[in-house]
Amino acid sequence: MLVARFYAPGDLRLEQAPEPTAGPGQLKIAVVNCSTCGTDVKIFRHGHHHIDPPRVIGHEIAGRVVEVGDGVEGWSEGDRVQIIAAIPCGTCPECRDGRFTVCSRQQSMGYHYDGGFAEYMVVPEAVLAVDGVNRIPEGLDYAEASVAEPLACVLNGQEIAGVGEGDTVVVMGAGPIGCLHVRLARAKGAKKVYLVDVNRGRLDMSARIVGPDAAICGEEVDAVEEVLRLTDGRGADVVITAAASGRAQEDALKMVARSGRISFFGGLPKDNPIISLDSNLVHYREISIFGANGSSPEHNKRALELIASGAVPVADLITERMALSDVHKAIETVAAGTAIKVTIQP
């Protein structure tokens, strides 16, 4: 079978490999779609401290069960499934308390285990142990189902920040994650949703599809001043930084309302994670700042339901479909920001 295997930064190889076999407690699936994201770009360019190469990468996975290992119940050949990416251990104090996204022993598909840039893959026992295999609802295609993983992360972030009815929400970053944030905020009853990006082309492309109440280009106007103008000087109830930008995090503090909430959704580069923050603003205006890290198995299940019900449509966000043999082109496309969501179809 064909796989895309990461060896070192800049060294992702298309190779032939033996088809895997499902061992006890495992499933083997034929990968139908594995969508790409900015993390794949970062892995390709810089590697990752949790990846011990060589490793088949890809973690937004949907496929069809083709083999059921001994001891696995509830699954049959032909079942259509979506697989979680972040795998909590299920036994640490955080997991026992239900806080799976901050599991101290978390593993991930495409990092600790071979991922979905392959024609076939094995779903490890660790995934099944935490109920991390989800049945794809009738009528939902595999490509849409693969987007459940990033939507699950978005769902986690918005639940932590308490996005809800009547909120004015600013989403900073017009990539695929930003688009999902806009759509989920609307599904949660937000009154106004503003989308901010410094890249005019990417902003216009995304805004045409997700239709924010305002699309603000940070290269052309002062985004803070524009948000304050749109909110009559009050600021936004919630600001979500869906971009790996320290400037976005700093600006979030200046455009959020009193008693507002900020979600630091996008992580910063490891070599530049420090920002300047006026803690007096946080103190006197009673501002809440939240982190958001990945998703739980339950978030994945609910993300699939949101997509299948039409509450958060994703089909129109998938703007490029490529073969596994075009994986390098897919990663370049994601890096260039010329598509919203690129999916690989092995």
Side-chain angles (χ1 to χ4, degrees), residues 252-290:
L253 200 64
K254 301 171 186 175
M255 65 175 65
V256 73
R258 294 172 184 269
S259 300
R261 293 97 71 199
I262 298 171
S263 174
F264 282 177
F265 187 90
L268 300 186
K270 297 292 188 290
D271 60 351
N272 190 24
I274 308 300
I275 66 169
S276 175
L277 184 148
D278 184 344
S279 65
N280 274 342
L281 285 178
V282 178
H283 171 65
Y284 288 109
R285 298 185 180 185
E286 296 187 354
I287 294 167
S288 299
I289 301 174
F290 300 97

PDB file of all heavy atoms in Angstrom, residues 252-290:
ATOM      1  N   ALA A 252      -6.405  40.994  21.266  1.00  0.00           N
ATOM      2  CA  ALA A 252      -7.650  40.463  21.836  1.00  0.00           C
ATOM      3  C   ALA A 252      -7.992  41.181  23.129  1.00  0.00           C
ATOM      4  O   ALA A 252      -9.158  41.507  23.404  1.00  0.00           O
ATOM      5  CB  ALA A 252      -7.524  38.960  22.070  1.00  0.00           C
ATOM      6  N   LEU A 253      -6.980  41.470  23.926  1.00  0.00           N
ATOM      7  CA  LEU A 253      -7.192  42.131  25.218  1.00  0.00           C
ATOM      8  C   LEU A 253      -7.705  43.561  25.030  1.00  0.00           C
ATOM      9  O   LEU A 253      -8.400  44.093  25.904  1.00  0.00           O
ATOM     10  CB  LEU A 253      -5.882  42.138  26.012  1.00  0.00           C
ATOM     11  CG  LEU A 253      -5.993  42.348  27.523  1.00  0.00           C
ATOM     12  CD1 LEU A 253      -6.749  41.198  28.165  1.00  0.00           C
ATOM     13  CD2 LEU A 253      -4.615  42.478  28.143  1.00  0.00           C
ATOM     14  N   LYS A 254      -7.369  44.160  23.888  1.00  0.00           N
ATOM     15  CA  LYS A 254      -7.752  45.543  23.639  1.00  0.00           C
ATOM     16  C   LYS A 254      -9.135  45.664  23.008  1.00  0.00           C
ATOM     17  O   LYS A 254      -9.715  46.750  23.003  1.00  0.00           O
ATOM     18  CB  LYS A 254      -6.723  46.214  22.712  1.00  0.00           C
ATOM     19  CG  LYS A 254      -5.310  46.217  23.266  1.00  0.00           C
ATOM     20  CD  LYS A 254      -4.322  46.691  22.213  1.00  0.00           C
ATOM     21  CE  LYS A 254      -2.874  46.558  22.686  1.00  0.00           C
ATOM     22  NZ  LYS A 254      -1.912  46.901  21.606  1.00  0.00           N
ATOM     23  N   MET A 255      -9.664  44.560  22.460  1.00  0.00           N
ATOM     24  CA  MET A 255     -10.950  44.630  21.766  1.00  0.00           C
ATOM     25  C   MET A 255     -12.064  43.876  22.485  1.00  0.00           C
ATOM     26  O   MET A 255     -13.191  43.823  22.002  1.00  0.00           O
ATOM     27  CB  MET A 255     -10.820  44.116  20.327  1.00  0.00           C
ATOM     28  CG  MET A 255     -10.461  42.643  20.227  1.00  0.00           C
ATOM     29  SD  MET A 255     -10.460  42.005  18.504  1.00  0.00           S
ATOM     30  CE  MET A 255      -9.128  42.885  17.725  1.00  0.00           C
ATOM     31  N   VAL A 256     -11.757  43.290  23.650  1.00  0.00           N
ATOM     32  CA  VAL A 256     -12.779  42.543  24.374  1.00  0.00           C
ATOM     33  C   VAL A 256     -13.525  43.483  25.331  1.00  0.00           C
ATOM     34  O   VAL A 256     -12.956  44.448  25.856  1.00  0.00           O
ATOM     35  CB  VAL A 256     -12.151  41.356  25.140  1.00  0.00           C
ATOM     36  CG1 VAL A 256     -11.353  41.831  26.356  1.00  0.00           C
ATOM     37  CG2 VAL A 256     -13.192  40.326  25.534  1.00  0.00           C
ATOM     38  N   ALA A 257     -14.779  43.209  25.556  1.00  0.00           N
ATOM     39  CA  ALA A 257     -15.606  44.042  26.429  1.00  0.00           C
ATOM     40  C   ALA A 257     -15.269  43.809  27.897  1.00  0.00           C
ATOM     41  O   ALA A 257     -14.601  42.838  28.257  1.00  0.00           O
ATOM     42  CB  ALA A 257     -17.084  43.719  26.186  1.00  0.00           C
ATOM     43  N   ARG A 258     -15.731  44.693  28.741  1.00  0.00           N
ATOM     44  CA  ARG A 258     -15.629  44.474  30.182  1.00  0.00           C
ATOM     45  C   ARG A 258     -16.373  43.184  30.544  1.00  0.00           C
ATOM     46  O   ARG A 258     -17.453  42.907  30.016  1.00  0.00           O
ATOM     47  CB  ARG A 258     -16.210  45.657  30.944  1.00  0.00           C
ATOM     48  CG  ARG A 258     -15.402  46.933  30.756  1.00  0.00           C
ATOM     49  CD  ARG A 258     -16.099  48.150  31.365  1.00  0.00           C
ATOM     50  NE  ARG A 258     -15.312  49.355  31.076  1.00  0.00           N
ATOM     51  CZ  ARG A 258     -14.362  49.836  31.866  1.00  0.00           C
ATOM     52  NH1 ARG A 258     -14.074  49.211  33.003  1.00  0.00           N
ATOM     53  NH2 ARG A 258     -13.703  50.927  31.535  1.00  0.00           N
ATOM     54  N   SER A 259     -15.772  42.398  31.406  1.00  0.00           N
ATOM     55  CA  SER A 259     -16.289  41.070  31.780  1.00  0.00           C
ATOM     56  C   SER A 259     -16.325  40.114  30.585  1.00  0.00           C
ATOM     57  O   SER A 259     -17.028  39.104  30.615  1.00  0.00           O
ATOM     58  CB  SER A 259     -17.693  41.155  32.396  1.00  0.00           C
ATOM     59  OG  SER A 259     -17.669  41.951  33.558  1.00  0.00           O
ATOM     60  N   GLY A 260     -15.568  40.441  29.539  1.00  0.00           N
ATOM     61  CA  GLY A 260     -15.529  39.584  28.357  1.00  0.00           C
ATOM     62  C   GLY A 260     -14.614  38.385  28.540  1.00  0.00           C
ATOM     63  O   GLY A 260     -13.904  38.247  29.541  1.00  0.00           O
ATOM     64  N   ARG A 261     -14.640  37.499  27.524  1.00  0.00           N
ATOM     65  CA  ARG A 261     -13.853  36.265  27.562  1.00  0.00           C
ATOM     66  C   ARG A 261     -12.960  36.187  26.337  1.00  0.00           C
ATOM     67  O   ARG A 261     -13.389  36.517  25.228  1.00  0.00           O
ATOM     68  CB  ARG A 261     -14.760  35.036  27.587  1.00  0.00           C
ATOM     69  CG  ARG A 261     -15.580  34.878  28.856  1.00  0.00           C
ATOM     70  CD  ARG A 261     -16.988  35.424  28.702  1.00  0.00           C
ATOM     71  NE  ARG A 261     -17.814  34.606  27.836  1.00  0.00           N
ATOM     72  CZ  ARG A 261     -18.934  35.037  27.252  1.00  0.00           C
ATOM     73  NH1 ARG A 261     -19.356  36.284  27.423  1.00  0.00           N
ATOM     74  NH2 ARG A 261     -19.638  34.224  26.482  1.00  0.00           N
ATOM     75  N   ILE A 262     -11.739  35.743  26.573  1.00  0.00           N
ATOM     76  CA  ILE A 262     -10.772  35.566  25.489  1.00  0.00           C
ATOM     77  C   ILE A 262     -10.350  34.100  25.453  1.00  0.00           C
ATOM     78  O   ILE A 262     -10.017  33.524  26.489  1.00  0.00           O
ATOM     79  CB  ILE A 262      -9.533  36.457  25.690  1.00  0.00           C
ATOM     80  CG1 ILE A 262      -9.921  37.936  25.666  1.00  0.00           C
ATOM     81  CG2 ILE A 262      -8.480  36.172  24.623  1.00  0.00           C
ATOM     82  CD1 ILE A 262      -8.788  38.867  26.079  1.00  0.00           C
ATOM     83  N   SER A 263     -10.365  33.514  24.271  1.00  0.00           N
ATOM     84  CA  SER A 263      -9.874  32.147  24.087  1.00  0.00           C
ATOM     85  C   SER A 263      -8.562  32.191  23.324  1.00  0.00           C
ATOM     86  O   SER A 263      -8.524  32.600  22.165  1.00  0.00           O
ATOM     87  CB  SER A 263     -10.885  31.303  23.300  1.00  0.00           C
ATOM     88  OG  SER A 263     -10.336  30.027  23.000  1.00  0.00           O
ATOM     89  N   PHE A 264      -7.482  31.796  24.003  1.00  0.00           N
ATOM     90  CA  PHE A 264      -6.208  31.615  23.311  1.00  0.00           C
ATOM     91  C   PHE A 264      -6.245  30.233  22.658  1.00  0.00           C
ATOM     92  O   PHE A 264      -5.712  29.258  23.171  1.00  0.00           O
ATOM     93  CB  PHE A 264      -5.041  31.716  24.301  1.00  0.00           C
ATOM     94  CG  PHE A 264      -4.689  33.119  24.710  1.00  0.00           C
ATOM     95  CD1 PHE A 264      -3.705  33.355  25.650  1.00  0.00           C
ATOM     96  CD2 PHE A 264      -5.330  34.218  24.148  1.00  0.00           C
ATOM     97  CE1 PHE A 264      -3.354  34.649  26.035  1.00  0.00           C
ATOM     98  CE2 PHE A 264      -5.000  35.513  24.521  1.00  0.00           C
ATOM     99  CZ  PHE A 264      -4.014  35.733  25.473  1.00  0.00           C
ATOM    100  N   PHE A 265      -6.913  30.170  21.513  1.00  0.00           N
ATOM    101  CA  PHE A 265      -7.151  28.890  20.853  1.00  0.00           C
ATOM    102  C   PHE A 265      -5.925  28.406  20.091  1.00  0.00           C
ATOM    103  O   PHE A 265      -5.556  27.239  20.140  1.00  0.00           O
ATOM    104  CB  PHE A 265      -8.353  29.003  19.902  1.00  0.00           C
ATOM    105  CG  PHE A 265      -8.762  27.682  19.317  1.00  0.00           C
ATOM    106  CD1 PHE A 265      -9.689  26.879  19.955  1.00  0.00           C
ATOM    107  CD2 PHE A 265      -8.204  27.230  18.122  1.00  0.00           C
ATOM    108  CE1 PHE A 265     -10.050  25.648  19.424  1.00  0.00           C
ATOM    109  CE2 PHE A 265      -8.558  26.010  17.588  1.00  0.00           C
ATOM    110  CZ  PHE A 265      -9.482  25.217  18.239  1.00  0.00           C
ATOM    111  N   GLY A 266      -5.296  29.312  19.354  1.00  0.00           N
ATOM    112  CA  GLY A 266      -4.120  28.942  18.569  1.00  0.00           C
ATOM    113  C   GLY A 266      -2.860  29.068  19.395  1.00  0.00           C
ATOM    114  O   GLY A 266      -2.609  30.108  20.008  1.00  0.00           O
ATOM    115  N   GLY A 267      -2.057  28.010  19.444  1.00  0.00           N
ATOM    116  CA  GLY A 267      -0.785  28.066  20.155  1.00  0.00           C
ATOM    117  C   GLY A 267       0.227  28.915  19.416  1.00  0.00           C
ATOM    118  O   GLY A 267       0.127  29.118  18.201  1.00  0.00           O
ATOM    119  N   LEU A 268       1.204  29.420  20.134  1.00  0.00           N
ATOM    120  CA  LEU A 268       2.252  30.252  19.541  1.00  0.00           C
ATOM    121  C   LEU A 268       3.471  29.403  19.197  1.00  0.00           C
ATOM    122  O   LEU A 268       3.641  28.304  19.733  1.00  0.00           O
ATOM    123  CB  LEU A 268       2.653  31.363  20.508  1.00  0.00           C
ATOM    124  CG  LEU A 268       1.552  32.337  20.920  1.00  0.00           C
ATOM    125  CD1 LEU A 268       2.135  33.466  21.762  1.00  0.00           C
ATOM    126  CD2 LEU A 268       0.823  32.900  19.706  1.00  0.00           C
ATOM    127  N   PRO A 269       4.323  29.897  18.299  1.00  0.00           N
ATOM    128  CA  PRO A 269       5.557  29.165  17.982  1.00  0.00           C
ATOM    129  C   PRO A 269       6.366  28.878  19.243  1.00  0.00           C
ATOM    130  O   PRO A 269       6.472  29.729  20.134  1.00  0.00           O
ATOM    131  CB  PRO A 269       6.301  30.119  17.038  1.00  0.00           C
ATOM    132  CG  PRO A 269       5.224  30.976  16.437  1.00  0.00           C
ATOM    133  CD  PRO A 269       4.190  31.128  17.511  1.00  0.00           C
ATOM    134  N   LYS A 270       6.933  27.685  19.319  1.00  0.00           N
ATOM    135  CA  LYS A 270       7.654  27.265  20.533  1.00  0.00           C
ATOM    136  C   LYS A 270       8.840  28.171  20.847  1.00  0.00           C
ATOM    137  O   LYS A 270       9.218  28.307  22.011  1.00  0.00           O
ATOM    138  CB  LYS A 270       8.133  25.817  20.363  1.00  0.00           C
ATOM    139  CG  LYS A 270       7.018  24.802  20.213  1.00  0.00           C
ATOM    140  CD  LYS A 270       6.212  24.658  21.493  1.00  0.00           C
ATOM    141  CE  LYS A 270       5.220  23.507  21.411  1.00  0.00           C
ATOM    142  NZ  LYS A 270       4.112  23.737  20.506  1.00  0.00           N
ATOM    143  N   ASP A 271       9.414  28.805  19.818  1.00  0.00           N
ATOM    144  CA  ASP A 271      10.570  29.660  20.060  1.00  0.00           C
ATOM    145  C   ASP A 271      10.180  31.113  20.333  1.00  0.00           C
ATOM    146  O   ASP A 271      11.045  31.964  20.525  1.00  0.00           O
ATOM    147  CB  ASP A 271      11.541  29.596  18.876  1.00  0.00           C
ATOM    148  CG  ASP A 271      10.911  30.058  17.568  1.00  0.00           C
ATOM    149  OD1 ASP A 271       9.671  30.262  17.538  1.00  0.00           O
ATOM    150  OD2 ASP A 271      11.641  30.201  16.571  1.00  0.00           O
ATOM    151  N   ASN A 272       8.863  31.400  20.357  1.00  0.00           N
ATOM    152  CA  ASN A 272       8.438  32.775  20.625  1.00  0.00           C
ATOM    153  C   ASN A 272       7.053  32.784  21.282  1.00  0.00           C
ATOM    154  O   ASN A 272       6.102  33.343  20.745  1.00  0.00           O
ATOM    155  CB  ASN A 272       8.408  33.570  19.312  1.00  0.00           C
ATOM    156  CG  ASN A 272       8.213  35.065  19.545  1.00  0.00           C
ATOM    157  OD1 ASN A 272       8.533  35.581  20.618  1.00  0.00           O
ATOM    158  ND2 ASN A 272       7.683  35.752  18.549  1.00  0.00           N
ATOM    159  N   PRO A 273       6.941  32.188  22.469  1.00  0.00           N
ATOM    160  CA  PRO A 273       5.618  32.036  23.088  1.00  0.00           C
ATOM    161  C   PRO A 273       5.241  33.138  24.078  1.00  0.00           C
ATOM    162  O   PRO A 273       4.179  33.056  24.694  1.00  0.00           O
ATOM    163  CB  PRO A 273       5.759  30.708  23.830  1.00  0.00           C
ATOM    164  CG  PRO A 273       7.181  30.718  24.293  1.00  0.00           C
ATOM    165  CD  PRO A 273       7.969  31.450  23.225  1.00  0.00           C
ATOM    166  N   ILE A 274       6.079  34.161  24.230  1.00  0.00           N
ATOM    167  CA  ILE A 274       5.851  35.178  25.257  1.00  0.00           C
ATOM    168  C   ILE A 274       5.196  36.414  24.637  1.00  0.00           C
ATOM    169  O   ILE A 274       5.648  36.917  23.609  1.00  0.00           O
ATOM    170  CB  ILE A 274       7.176  35.587  25.931  1.00  0.00           C
ATOM    171  CG1 ILE A 274       7.938  34.348  26.425  1.00  0.00           C
ATOM    172  CG2 ILE A 274       6.908  36.551  27.080  1.00  0.00           C
ATOM    173  CD1 ILE A 274       7.195  33.512  27.434  1.00  0.00           C
ATOM    174  N   ILE A 275       4.128  36.901  25.272  1.00  0.00           N
ATOM    175  CA  ILE A 275       3.463  38.117  24.806  1.00  0.00           C
ATOM    176  C   ILE A 275       3.507  39.174  25.894  1.00  0.00           C
ATOM    177  O   ILE A 275       3.795  38.884  27.060  1.00  0.00           O
ATOM    178  CB  ILE A 275       2.000  37.847  24.389  1.00  0.00           C
ATOM    179  CG1 ILE A 275       1.150  37.436  25.617  1.00  0.00           C
ATOM    180  CG2 ILE A 275       1.924  36.791  23.302  1.00  0.00           C
ATOM    181  CD1 ILE A 275      -0.341  37.416  25.344  1.00  0.00           C
ATOM    182  N   SER A 276       3.177  40.413  25.506  1.00  0.00           N
ATOM    183  CA  SER A 276       3.058  41.509  26.458  1.00  0.00           C
ATOM    184  C   SER A 276       1.583  41.652  26.822  1.00  0.00           C
ATOM    185  O   SER A 276       0.735  41.825  25.940  1.00  0.00           O
ATOM    186  CB  SER A 276       3.580  42.802  25.826  1.00  0.00           C
ATOM    187  OG  SER A 276       3.370  43.893  26.691  1.00  0.00           O
ATOM    188  N   LEU A 277       1.275  41.557  28.108  1.00  0.00           N
ATOM    189  CA  LEU A 277      -0.118  41.563  28.541  1.00  0.00           C
ATOM    190  C   LEU A 277      -0.281  42.558  29.681  1.00  0.00           C
ATOM    191  O   LEU A 277       0.431  42.488  30.690  1.00  0.00           O
ATOM    192  CB  LEU A 277      -0.521  40.154  28.987  1.00  0.00           C
ATOM    193  CG  LEU A 277      -1.975  39.918  29.382  1.00  0.00           C
ATOM    194  CD1 LEU A 277      -2.400  38.500  29.035  1.00  0.00           C
ATOM    195  CD2 LEU A 277      -2.188  40.158  30.877  1.00  0.00           C
ATOM    196  N   ASP A 278      -1.218  43.494  29.512  1.00  0.00           N
ATOM    197  CA  ASP A 278      -1.505  44.487  30.553  1.00  0.00           C
ATOM    198  C   ASP A 278      -2.426  43.825  31.578  1.00  0.00           C
ATOM    199  O   ASP A 278      -3.644  43.761  31.393  1.00  0.00           O
ATOM    200  CB  ASP A 278      -2.160  45.709  29.923  1.00  0.00           C
ATOM    201  CG  ASP A 278      -2.412  46.832  30.931  1.00  0.00           C
ATOM    202  OD1 ASP A 278      -2.365  46.567  32.146  1.00  0.00           O
ATOM    203  OD2 ASP A 278      -2.676  47.967  30.489  1.00  0.00           O
ATOM    204  N   SER A 279      -1.857  43.340  32.664  1.00  0.00           N
ATOM    205  CA  SER A 279      -2.661  42.607  33.638  1.00  0.00           C
ATOM    206  C   SER A 279      -3.657  43.514  34.356  1.00  0.00           C
ATOM    207  O   SER A 279      -4.653  43.021  34.914  1.00  0.00           O
ATOM    208  CB  SER A 279      -1.760  41.906  34.654  1.00  0.00           C
ATOM    209  OG  SER A 279      -1.055  42.841  35.438  1.00  0.00           O
ATOM    210  N   ASN A 280      -3.428  44.830  34.346  1.00  0.00           N
ATOM    211  CA  ASN A 280      -4.405  45.732  34.955  1.00  0.00           C
ATOM    212  C   ASN A 280      -5.725  45.729  34.191  1.00  0.00           C
ATOM    213  O   ASN A 280      -6.797  45.896  34.779  1.00  0.00           O
ATOM    214  CB  ASN A 280      -3.846  47.146  35.052  1.00  0.00           C
ATOM    215  CG  ASN A 280      -3.032  47.347  36.318  1.00  0.00           C
ATOM    216  OD1 ASN A 280      -3.148  46.568  37.266  1.00  0.00           O
ATOM    217  ND2 ASN A 280      -2.199  48.379  36.333  1.00  0.00           N
ATOM    218  N   LEU A 281      -5.646  45.577  32.859  1.00  0.00           N
ATOM    219  CA  LEU A 281      -6.887  45.457  32.091  1.00  0.00           C
ATOM    220  C   LEU A 281      -7.666  44.228  32.518  1.00  0.00           C
ATOM    221  O   LEU A 281      -8.889  44.263  32.677  1.00  0.00           O
ATOM    222  CB  LEU A 281      -6.573  45.393  30.588  1.00  0.00           C
ATOM    223  CG  LEU A 281      -6.158  46.684  29.892  1.00  0.00           C
ATOM    224  CD1 LEU A 281      -5.845  46.411  28.424  1.00  0.00           C
ATOM    225  CD2 LEU A 281      -7.248  47.746  30.016  1.00  0.00           C
ATOM    226  N   VAL A 282      -6.954  43.115  32.686  1.00  0.00           N
ATOM    227  CA  VAL A 282      -7.604  41.887  33.133  1.00  0.00           C
ATOM    228  C   VAL A 282      -8.227  42.107  34.513  1.00  0.00           C
ATOM    229  O   VAL A 282      -9.375  41.712  34.778  1.00  0.00           O
ATOM    230  CB  VAL A 282      -6.591  40.721  33.174  1.00  0.00           C
ATOM    231  CG1 VAL A 282      -7.250  39.446  33.687  1.00  0.00           C
ATOM    232  CG2 VAL A 282      -5.986  40.489  31.792  1.00  0.00           C
ATOM    233  N   HIS A 283      -7.478  42.770  35.387  1.00  0.00           N
ATOM    234  CA  HIS A 283      -7.905  42.967  36.775  1.00  0.00           C
ATOM    235  C   HIS A 283      -9.117  43.895  36.873  1.00  0.00           C
ATOM    236  O   HIS A 283     -10.161  43.512  37.416  1.00  0.00           O
ATOM    237  CB  HIS A 283      -6.727  43.536  37.565  1.00  0.00           C
ATOM    238  CG  HIS A 283      -7.073  43.995  38.947  1.00  0.00           C
ATOM    239  ND1 HIS A 283      -7.486  43.117  39.913  1.00  0.00           N
ATOM    240  CD2 HIS A 283      -7.058  45.229  39.510  1.00  0.00           C
ATOM    241  CE1 HIS A 283      -7.719  43.786  41.039  1.00  0.00           C
ATOM    242  NE2 HIS A 283      -7.459  45.076  40.818  1.00  0.00           N
ATOM    243  N   TYR A 284      -8.987  45.100  36.333  1.00  0.00           N
ATOM    244  CA  TYR A 284     -10.028  46.096  36.541  1.00  0.00           C
ATOM    245  C   TYR A 284     -11.273  45.852  35.686  1.00  0.00           C
ATOM    246  O   TYR A 284     -12.378  46.258  36.073  1.00  0.00           O
ATOM    247  CB  TYR A 284      -9.479  47.505  36.290  1.00  0.00           C
ATOM    248  CG  TYR A 284      -8.537  47.969  37.371  1.00  0.00           C
ATOM    249  CD1 TYR A 284      -7.173  48.093  37.132  1.00  0.00           C
ATOM    250  CD2 TYR A 284      -9.008  48.277  38.648  1.00  0.00           C
ATOM    251  CE1 TYR A 284      -6.301  48.505  38.133  1.00  0.00           C
ATOM    252  CE2 TYR A 284      -8.142  48.687  39.657  1.00  0.00           C
ATOM    253  CZ  TYR A 284      -6.794  48.794  39.389  1.00  0.00           C
ATOM    254  OH  TYR A 284      -5.942  49.190  40.384  1.00  0.00           O
ATOM    255  N   ARG A 285     -11.101  45.223  34.536  1.00  0.00           N
ATOM    256  CA  ARG A 285     -12.257  44.975  33.668  1.00  0.00           C
ATOM    257  C   ARG A 285     -12.826  43.556  33.831  1.00  0.00           C
ATOM    258  O   ARG A 285     -13.738  43.181  33.127  1.00  0.00           O
ATOM    259  CB  ARG A 285     -11.869  45.221  32.202  1.00  0.00           C
ATOM    260  CG  ARG A 285     -11.454  46.666  31.950  1.00  0.00           C
ATOM    261  CD  ARG A 285     -11.197  46.925  30.483  1.00  0.00           C
ATOM    262  NE  ARG A 285     -10.802  48.314  30.263  1.00  0.00           N
ATOM    263  CZ  ARG A 285     -10.604  48.865  29.067  1.00  0.00           C
ATOM    264  NH1 ARG A 285     -10.770  48.107  27.964  1.00  0.00           N
ATOM    265  NH2 ARG A 285     -10.246  50.112  28.948  1.00  0.00           N
ATOM    266  N   GLU A 286     -12.277  42.810  34.767  1.00  0.00           N
ATOM    267  CA  GLU A 286     -12.748  41.450  35.056  1.00  0.00           C
ATOM    268  C   GLU A 286     -12.831  40.606  33.781  1.00  0.00           C
ATOM    269  O   GLU A 286     -13.844  39.975  33.477  1.00  0.00           O
ATOM    270  CB  GLU A 286     -14.084  41.485  35.786  1.00  0.00           C
ATOM    271  CG  GLU A 286     -13.984  42.133  37.154  1.00  0.00           C
ATOM    272  CD  GLU A 286     -15.260  42.025  37.975  1.00  0.00           C
ATOM    273  OE1 GLU A 286     -16.280  41.540  37.442  1.00  0.00           O
ATOM    274  OE2 GLU A 286     -15.230  42.431  39.155  1.00  0.00           O
ATOM    275  N   ILE A 287     -11.734  40.602  33.055  1.00  0.00           N
ATOM    276  CA  ILE A 287     -11.642  39.835  31.805  1.00  0.00           C
ATOM    277  C   ILE A 287     -11.159  38.417  32.117  1.00  0.00           C
ATOM    278  O   ILE A 287     -10.270  38.219  32.934  1.00  0.00           O
ATOM    279  CB  ILE A 287     -10.680  40.538  30.825  1.00  0.00           C
ATOM    280  CG1 ILE A 287     -11.268  41.886  30.397  1.00  0.00           C
ATOM    281  CG2 ILE A 287     -10.397  39.660  29.609  1.00  0.00           C
ATOM    282  CD1 ILE A 287     -10.268  42.785  29.697  1.00  0.00           C
ATOM    283  N   SER A 288     -11.736  37.445  31.451  1.00  0.00           N
ATOM    284  CA  SER A 288     -11.327  36.044  31.612  1.00  0.00           C
ATOM    285  C   SER A 288     -10.572  35.591  30.368  1.00  0.00           C
ATOM    286  O   SER A 288     -11.025  35.833  29.240  1.00  0.00           O
ATOM    287  CB  SER A 288     -12.544  35.144  31.821  1.00  0.00           C
ATOM    288  OG  SER A 288     -13.261  35.507  32.984  1.00  0.00           O
ATOM    289  N   ILE A 289      -9.419  34.960  30.585  1.00  0.00           N
ATOM    290  CA  ILE A 289      -8.612  34.429  29.479  1.00  0.00           C
ATOM    291  C   ILE A 289      -8.516  32.917  29.652  1.00  0.00           C
ATOM    292  O   ILE A 289      -8.141  32.425  30.718  1.00  0.00           O
ATOM    293  CB  ILE A 289      -7.205  35.047  29.462  1.00  0.00           C
ATOM    294  CG1 ILE A 289      -7.298  36.574  29.309  1.00  0.00           C
ATOM    295  CG2 ILE A 289      -6.365  34.449  28.333  1.00  0.00           C
ATOM    296  CD1 ILE A 289      -5.958  37.283  29.422  1.00  0.00           C
ATOM    297  N   PHE A 290      -8.879  32.185  28.586  1.00  0.00           N
ATOM    298  CA  PHE A 290      -8.908  30.726  28.646  1.00  0.00           C
ATOM    299  C   PHE A 290      -7.951  30.116  27.632  1.00  0.00           C
ATOM    300  O   PHE A 290      -7.790  30.633  26.516  1.00  0.00           O
ATOM    301  CB  PHE A 290     -10.321  30.209  28.323  1.00  0.00           C
ATOM    302  CG  PHE A 290     -11.385  30.706  29.254  1.00  0.00           C
ATOM    303  CD1 PHE A 290     -12.164  31.800  28.916  1.00  0.00           C
ATOM    304  CD2 PHE A 290     -11.619  30.084  30.469  1.00  0.00           C
ATOM    305  CE1 PHE A 290     -13.166  32.264  29.764  1.00  0.00           C
ATOM    306  CE2 PHE A 290     -12.605  30.534  31.333  1.00  0.00           C
ATOM    307  CZ  PHE A 290     -13.380  31.633  30.975  1.00  0.00           C
TER     308      PHE A 290
END
